[in-house]
Amino acid sequence: MEWLLIPFEVSFVQRALVAGVLVSAVCAVVGTWVVLRGMAFIGDAMSHGMLPGVAIASLTGVNLLIGAAISAGVMALGVTALGRSRRLSEDTTIGLLFVGMLASGVIIVSHSRSFAVDLTGFLFGDVLAVGSGDLVGLAVTLLVVGVVALVGHRSFTALTFDVRKAHTLGLRPRLANAVLLGLVTLTIVASFRVVGTLLVFGLLIAPAAAALFWSRRITTIMLIAALLGIAATVGGLLVSWHWGTAAGATIAAGAVLLFFLSAFLSFVRQRFRSLTPEIECSR
């Protein structure tokens, strides 16, 4: 049992655990809507679209979160504005913005050799370097996301399952979609410090997708997703400590592994249920 407890006796691992729990909760709430709405591509594009802002912020000495927020905001506004065009599909506009922002970031990075280390942290995160200030930021993010999700629950639900009904009920689906996109942006910006932009996508999608195998109630899906994210965090930190792997990547890999495990167990459960009537009839 000591090997389970020893890592969490260290202060920076304790902070990493708290950060992982907070990120898991935030990603569970927002990720549920992302999965139900089919917004995975948007989430991926948003995570990569922050690169130009982070690159400029690093080169100018500005806080990286500020650069990430500005860049992600530009990306979100671009998706919203171009999404109104009837000549282009949504995935086309997202793809164009995604490539444009990512290319701009790489061009900026290519002019600074000293940015290599910061770029690695941006892409893959450094959960073990999380400070108390980061924890406060994540806590505030969780509070904001929780309040907005609670207030907009009805609008988000109507937007997800029946846009026409949302119009009929006066729930303003365009505004709801913009707010939801804002939540995705906020989640990615707040979480990239912990697991990086390439890996936050895993925590955003995998736990919520895994939870869909076990429930159809939105609130229950969020709860299960949060628990799975926390399990991935604890397991990832343990593996990282004992095997010397990258903590952020291990946490994200754990979340994806839990998804495949959930899919397998769900298949076994359905298979067992389908065989049960045949067994009873044979008696």
Side-chain angles (χ1 to χ4, degrees):
M1 289 295 292
E2 290 186 0
W3 69 277
L4 287 173
L5 301 177
I6 288 177
F8 300 106
E9 294 177 355
V10 182
S11 60
F12 65 83
V13 179
Q14 293 173 359
R15 289 194 296 270
L17 176 61
V18 175
V21 170
L22 291 172
V23 170
S24 297
V26 173
C27 288
V29 175
V30 179
T32 296
W33 293 116
V34 169
V35 171
L36 292 176
R37 283 272 295 141
M39 298 172 63
F41 187 34
I42 294 180
D44 188 26
M46 292 297 299
S47 64
H48 290 79
M50 294 190 301
L51 181 55
V54 173
I56 294 174
S58 179
L59 294 175
T60 57
V62 180
N63 188 295
L64 296 184
L65 285 177
I66 296 177
I70 294 175
S71 188
V74 171
M75 184 77 179
L77 289 175
V79 170
T80 302
L82 294 178
R84 297 177 180 178
S85 174
R86 297 182 179 180
R87 295 185 178 183
L88 295 175
S89 62
E90 185 179 35
D91 61 336
T92 299
T93 59
I94 294 172
L96 290 171
L97 288 169
F98 167 46
V99 174
M101 295 291 282
L102 184 59
S104 300
V106 172
I107 291 172
I108 296 172
V109 170
S110 65
H111 281 280
S112 175
R113 297 179 180 177
S114 63
F115 188 63
V117 176
D118 292 331
L119 178 60
T120 301
F122 168 76
L123 294 175
F124 303 107
D126 191 0
V127 65
L128 298 179
V130 170
S132 56
D134 297 313
L135 296 181
V136 173
L138 287 172
V140 172
T141 299
L142 178 59
L143 178 62
V144 172
V145 168
V147 171
V148 174
L150 181 63
V151 173
H153 182 81
R154 189 175 176 220
S155 298
F156 295 157
T157 302
L159 174 68
T160 300
F161 298 105
D162 195 338
V163 177
R164 292 183 179 180
K165 187 175 182 179
H167 276 291
T168 303
L169 296 175
L171 296 176
R172 304 178 68 182
R174 285 188 177 180
L175 177 60
N177 186 67
V179 172
L180 190 56
L181 184 59
L183 288 182
V184 174
T185 303
L186 176 62
T187 300
I188 293 174
V189 170
S191 303
F192 91 90
R193 178 72 172 83
V194 178
V195 292
T197 59
L198 290 180
L199 304 176
V200 68
F201 188 61
L203 281 179
L204 192 66
I205 301 298
L212 284 177
F213 290 110
W214 307 105
S215 179
R216 288 294 179 265
R217 289 175 57 89
I218 294 176
T219 53
T220 306
I221 292 172
M222 291 179 178
L223 177 60
I224 296 174
L227 293 176
L228 290 174
I230 293 172
T233 298
V234 175
L237 290 174
L238 284 172
V239 172
S240 174
W241 177 271
H242 291 290
W243 289 2
T245 59
T250 308
I251 291 172
V256 175
L257 181 62
L258 287 175
F259 164 77
F260 285 110
L261 179 61
S262 293
F264 174 73
L265 293 177
S266 177
F267 171 78
V268 172
R269 182 185 62 170
Q270 292 178 356
R271 185 65 176 170
F272 178 77
R273 286 181 177 179
S274 65
L275 292 176
T276 301
E278 297 180 6
I279 297 174
E280 292 179 352
C281 290
S282 64
R283 292 179 181 178

